Each structure stands twice: as structure tokens, then as C-alpha cells.
Amino acid sequence: MKISNDKLYYLCNKYQWFTNGDCKQYSMFFDRNRQGASLETLATIIWICSSGWNERDILKILQQECDL
């Protein structure tokens, strides 16, 4: 399953994800998605750079929002 960078950007804003990451990390995150990272990998990266979120909950949202 894949998700577009546009949708990832939207979700990060909507759920206030990645607020503990810096600009370089944020850019690298989107690069990893362009390179075909799994939703599990993306969820882990988001979780590491976010406060108050459970990795499993992030993954569930990504799975619901992924591009079919």
C-alpha cells in the first residue's frame, strides 16, 4: 500500500504529527516515501518525531488513508 506525499503532508498537519522533527528530518521523511517506504516504516518515523501518539494508531490512520 502506498500513500502520496500530498496526503502525508495533509495528515501531518491534521493530526499535528512530526512536531518534534526538524526541517531536514521532515524532508527526509518525504524522500523515504518517494523511495517506496512501507506504511509501517512511515508510521515508525512519524511516531519517533511526534508526541502523544501510539505507533499502532498512526499506522491505522495511514492504512485508512492510503491510495488504493
Side-chain angles (χ1 to χ4, degrees), residues 1 11 15 17 39 43 54-66:
M1 292 190 272
L11 294 172
Y15 293 106
W17 291 340
L39 295 181
N54 177 294
E55 189 176 3
R56 239 175 309 137
D57 293 337
I58 294 168
L59 179 58
K60 285 179 188 175
I61 292 170
L62 292 178
Q63 288 170 333
Q64 291 170 351
E65 296 287 340
C66 73

Side-chain angles (χ1 to χ4, degrees), residues 21-62:
D22 63 26
C23 290
K24 183 176 180 180
Q25 291 168 321
Y26 200 53
S27 177
M28 290 169 59
F29 168 65
F30 289 108
D31 288 344
R32 287 289 289 137
N33 188 47
R34 265 192 233 76
Q35 295 165 358
S38 68
L39 295 181
E40 291 82 1
T41 297
L42 297 174
T44 300
I45 295 169
I46 293 168
W47 173 68
I48 289 169
C49 295
S50 302
S51 294
W53 280 92
N54 177 294
E55 189 176 3
R56 239 175 309 137
D57 293 337
I58 294 168
L59 179 58
K60 285 179 188 175
I61 292 170
L62 292 178

